[in-house]
C-alpha cells in the first residue's frame, strides 16, 4: 500500500496568483493553483492520502490584511477556501498570532478539521489551542500527526498577545508524544511550522542556535518519526535526513510537498520504501471554484489598493534595493519620519524588508503602501543606553561584507533564508559604518544632536514591535525597555501621515554613511 502525504506551508494569504503590485497578474503561485495541484495528486494516488496545511495562512498578503481590517468579512472569508481543499489537519504558524488571539481563535473555529499545536501550553500546562495531535484511519492504516510550531514566537510578538502561554522546545514535546503515538498508530508524522538550523548534509550550524529552528536536532534526538513536514523558512526541500523523508514546500503556494510511504500491509504496515518530492504549481490553472468564491472580495481589495493617498515631488522609487541600503534612500527616510511623528521619538530605525519593494511612484496608492511595507507591524518606543544603540548598529553592520572588492549583502543572511528585514537604517542620529574594519568594530562615528553618544546616555528610539522585543536576535532590545507603544498598524500610520501631508518630497539628509574599499578613508 502507498500512503501519500501532501502538504502546504506558508501560503500567507496569497489566494490568487498575484503579488498585488498590479491588477490581473498570473504569477507562479497561489492557493487557487494549489487547489488544482492537490486534486491532481489525489487523483493519481493508488492508496490513502493525508493532507496537511502547515501554518502561516491567515496573514501575509494585502488580501489577508484587508480581511482583518474589515470585520464584516471575518477570517472565514479566506479560511473557507482552505476548508474546500480537503485538509485533514492544520498546524499553527508563528504569523497566525500577528492579528491577536481573538482573530486566531476565530480562525481555528472556522476550520472543518483539527488545528494542532502541541508545544504551545496554557497556564494548566495543556495545549492552549485544541489538540496536540490527530490520529486518522484511512484504508485500515492508522496515521498519527503531531503538530508543533517554532518555540521562538515570544521573541516576535507583543507581550500581551502571548501572555499566559508557554512555548516549549519541539524536542521536548516530541520526546513526550512520539512514544505514545507509536503505540497508537502505524505511521507517525510530525508537522512542524519551523525549519532547519543546520546544514542538511554536514550537520554544521547554518544560523545561531536560538531554538527558532530545530528540525535537524529533532531528527537527531528523537526516534520513531516516519515523516517530517517543515516550513517557516520558505525553503524548497525534498530529501531524507537520518533516513526520514522531509519536505519544506516554499511559500505563497508555489509548491505542494509530497511524501510517499510504501507500507507492508502483511507486516503491521511497516515502511519498506519512502521518497519526498515537491510539485510546482506554476503551470497549473487556477481552481474555478476557489476563483468564484473569492471573486467579489478580490475585486473589492483591488479597488481599495488603487485608491490614491498622496503625491511625491521628486523620485522615491527604489531601483536597486542594496544601493538603497548602502546610501540613504528617500523611501527609508520617509518611513522613519512617519515613525518619529507617530511616536514622538526623535530617533527611529527601520528596514527595507525585501528586494521586491519598488518605493513610491509620483502618485502614491494604497497598493504602493502595502506592497512596500509588507508586515503588520505596530510601533514601540524603547529607552536604551548609548551602549545598547551602538551594539544594535554593530549588529546591523554585519549584514554587509566586502568580497572580491565588491560590497554585498552578507551571504550567511541570504541563505538558507533571506534576512533583509534585519538590516536597520536609522534617522535622528549621525553614524558611520566602516566595512573595512572587523565585525564588532565598524561603528566609527555615532553622534546624537551633534555630540558623540556615550555608553551611559539614555535615549528613546522608535522601531517596529518585532525589533523592539529583540526580533532578529537583537538581544540588546527587550520588552522591559519599552516605554510606550503605538498600537496601530504601520500601513495605517503611513496612510494617516499622507492624509496630513498629501504632498511629500523625496529627500534625504545622508545622516549615515557606509565606507567600503571604493570610498575608504586614508
Amino acid at each position: 500500500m502507498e500512503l501519500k502525504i501532501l502538504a502546504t506551508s506558508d501560503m500567507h494569504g496569497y489566494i490568487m496568483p498575484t503579488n498585488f503590485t498590479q491588477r490581473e497578474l498570473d504569477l507562479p503561485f497561489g492557493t487557487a493553483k494549489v487547489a488544482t495541484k492537490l486534486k491532481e495528486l489525489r487523483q493519481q494516488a493508488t492508496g490513502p492520502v493525508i493532507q496537511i496545511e502547515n501554518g502561516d495562512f491567515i496573514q501575509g498578503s494585502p488580501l489577508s490584511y484587508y480581511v482583518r481590517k474589515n470585520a464584516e468579512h471575518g477570517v472565514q472569508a479566506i479560511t473557507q477556501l482552505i476548508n474546500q481543499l480537503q485538509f485533514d489537519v492544520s498546524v499553527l504558524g508563528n504569523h497566525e498570532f500577528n492579528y491577536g488571539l481573538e482573530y486566531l481563535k476565530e480562525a481555528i473555529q472556522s476550520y472543518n478539521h483539527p488545528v494542532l499545536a502541541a508545544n504551545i501550553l496554557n497556564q494548566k500546562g495543556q495545549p492552549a489551542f485544541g489538540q496536540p495531535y490527530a490520529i486518522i484511519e484511512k484504508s485500515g492504516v492508522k496515521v498519527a500527526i503531531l503538530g508543533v510550531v517554532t518555540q521562538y514566537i515570544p521573541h516576535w510578538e507583543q507581550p500581551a498577545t502571548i501572555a499566559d502561554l508557554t512555548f516549549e522546545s519541539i524536542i521536548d514535546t516530541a520526546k513526550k508524544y512520539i512514544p505514545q503515538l507509536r503505540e497508537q498508530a502505524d505511521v507517525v508524522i510530525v508537522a512542524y511550522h519551523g525549519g532547519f538550523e543546520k546544514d542538511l548534509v554536514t550537520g554544521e550550524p547554518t544560523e545561531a542556535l536560538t531554538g527558532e529552528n530545530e528540525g535537524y536536532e529533532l531528527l537527531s534526538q528523537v526516534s520513531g518519526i516516519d515523516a517530517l513536514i517543515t516550513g517557516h523558512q520558505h525553503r524548497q526541500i525534498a530529501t531524507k535526513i537520518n533516513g526520514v523523508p522531509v519536505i519544506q514546500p516554499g511559500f505563497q503556494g508555489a509548491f505542494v510537498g509530497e511524501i510517499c510511504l510504501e507500507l507492508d500491509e502483511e507486516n503491521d504496515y511497516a515502511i519498506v520504501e519512502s521518497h519526498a518530492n515537491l510539485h510546482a504549481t506554476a503551470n497549473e490553472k487556477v481552481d474555478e471554484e476557489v476563483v468564484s468564491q473569492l471573486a467579489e472580495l478580490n475585486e473589492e481589495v483591488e479597488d481599495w489598493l488603487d485608491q490614491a493617498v498622496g503625491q511625491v515631488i521628486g523620485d522615491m522609487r527604489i531601483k536597486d534595493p542594496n544601493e538603497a541600503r548602502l546610501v540613504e534612500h528617500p523611501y527609508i527616510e520617509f518611513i522613519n519620519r512617519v515613525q518619529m511623528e507617530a511616536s514622538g521619538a526623535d530617533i527611529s530605525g527601520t528596514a527595507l524588508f525585501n528586494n521586491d519593494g519598488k518605493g513610491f511612484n509620483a502618485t502614491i496608492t494604497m497598493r504602493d503602501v502595502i506592497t512596500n511595507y509588507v508586515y503588520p507591524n505596530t510601533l514601540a518606543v524603547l529607552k536604551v543606553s548609548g551602549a545598547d544603540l551602538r551594539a544594535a548598529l554593530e549588529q546591523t553592520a554585519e549584514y554587509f561584507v566586502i568580497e572580491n572588492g565588491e560590497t554585498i549583502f552578507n551571504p550567511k543572511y541570504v541563505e538558507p533564508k533571506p534576512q533583509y528585514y534585519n538590516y536597520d537604517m536609522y534617522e535622528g542620529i549621525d553614524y558611520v559604518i566602516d566595512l573595512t574594519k572587523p565585525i564588532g568594530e565598524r561603528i566609527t562615528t555615532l553622534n546624537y544632536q551633534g555630540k558623540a553618544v556615550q555608553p551611559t546616555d539614555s535615549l528613546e528610539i522608535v522601531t517596529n514591535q518585532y525589533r523592539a522585543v529583540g526580533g532578529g536576535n537583537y538581544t540588546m532590545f527587550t520588552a522591559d525597555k519599552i516605554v510606550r507603544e503605538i498600537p496601530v498598524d504601520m500601513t495605517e500610520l503611513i496612510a494617516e501621515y499622507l492624509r496630513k501631508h498629501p504632498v511629500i518630497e523625496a529627500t534625504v539628509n545622508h545622516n549615515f554613511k557606509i565606507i567600503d574599499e571604493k570610498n575608504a578613508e586614508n
Side-chain angles (χ1 to χ4, degrees), residues 214-428:
E214 302 178 279
Y216 193 93
E217 194 67 13
L218 174 70
L219 294 181
S220 300
Q221 287 201 30
V222 183
S223 61
I225 299 170
D226 295 318
L228 175 63
I229 316 299
T230 66
H232 182 56
Q233 293 172 310
H234 298 182
R235 296 167 67 181
Q236 299 165 24
I237 298 172
T239 189
K240 288 185 180 180
I241 300 174
N242 297 338
V244 178
V246 170
I247 51 174
Q248 188 172 139
F251 73 117
Q252 294 180 332
F255 294 89
V256 172
E258 176 189 59
I259 291 176
C260 292
L261 303 178
E262 190 65 35
L263 308 178
D264 184 350
E265 297 175 74
E266 304 301 321
N267 187 24
D268 296 326
Y269 297 103
I271 297 171
V272 294
E273 190 177 342
S274 64
H275 58 270
N277 294 300
L278 294 181
H279 298 279
T281 63
N283 296 325
E284 300 296 333
K285 293 181 178 179
V286 293
D287 181 90
E288 290 304 325
E289 187 177 356
V290 171
V291 172
S292 176
Q293 275 201 273
L294 194 68
E296 186 175 337
L297 174 60
N298 195 64
E299 192 70 13
E300 191 177 320
V301 172
E302 294 287 0
D303 289 345
W304 169 69
L305 290 172
D306 281 338
Q307 293 177 9
V309 292
Q311 300 287 325
V312 176
I313 296 174
D315 189 354
M316 205 176 273
R317 295 171 298 169
I318 297 171
K319 303 176 184 69
D320 181 336
N322 269 353
E323 182 68 13
R325 296 181 178 104
L326 293 168
V327 179
E328 188 176 24
H329 190 278
Y331 172 77
I332 297 299
E333 178 155 315
F334 168 75
I335 295 298
N336 273 322
R337 296 291 181 194
V338 171
Q339 295 188 172
M340 293 161 84
E341 180 170 302
S343 67
D346 56 5
I347 302 174
S348 173
T350 191
L352 183 58
F353 298 128
N354 56 39
N355 287 345
D356 299 326
K358 304 302 181 187
F360 290 164
N361 295 308
T363 297
I364 308 169
T365 65
M366 275 305 298
R367 191 181 300 278
D368 296 321
V369 172
I370 205 165
T371 56
N372 280 280
Y373 203 101
V374 294
Y375 294 118
N377 287 327
T378 58
L379 299 178
V381 177
L382 295 153
K383 181 166 282 189
V384 301
S385 68
D388 289 333
L389 179 57
R390 180 176 287 274
L393 289 168
E394 288 288 3
Q395 183 160 331
T396 209
E398 296 181 20
Y399 282 82
F400 275 96
V401 293
I402 300 170
E403 285 192 359
N404 302 318
E406 294 295 320
T407 300
I408 63 171
F409 207 85
N410 194 331
K412 80 175 186 176
Y413 298 121
V414 177
E415 295 291 342
K417 180 183 179 180
Q419 296 182 40
Y420 302 115
Y421 51 83
N422 282 330
Y423 172 77
D424 292 335
M425 293 159 280
Y426 281 81
E427 189 61 49

Side-chain angles (χ1 to χ4, degrees), residues 117-121 146-155 165-178 190-195 197 209-219 221-222:
N119 63 319
I120 305 177
L121 308 180
L146 176 68
V148 286
V149 60
T150 172
Q151 63 164 313
Y152 214 60
I153 291 172
H155 295 267
L165 296 176
T166 299
F167 295 78
E168 290 193 333
S169 165
I170 68 161
I171 311 298
D172 296 335
T173 302
K175 286 180 177 178
K176 172 184 176 181
Y177 282 107
I178 295 299
V190 173
Y192 171 38
H193 188 87
E197 73 286 19
L209 301 180
T210 61
E212 176 180 353
N213 299 298
E214 302 178 279
Y216 193 93
E217 194 67 13
L218 174 70
L219 294 181
Q221 287 201 30
V222 183

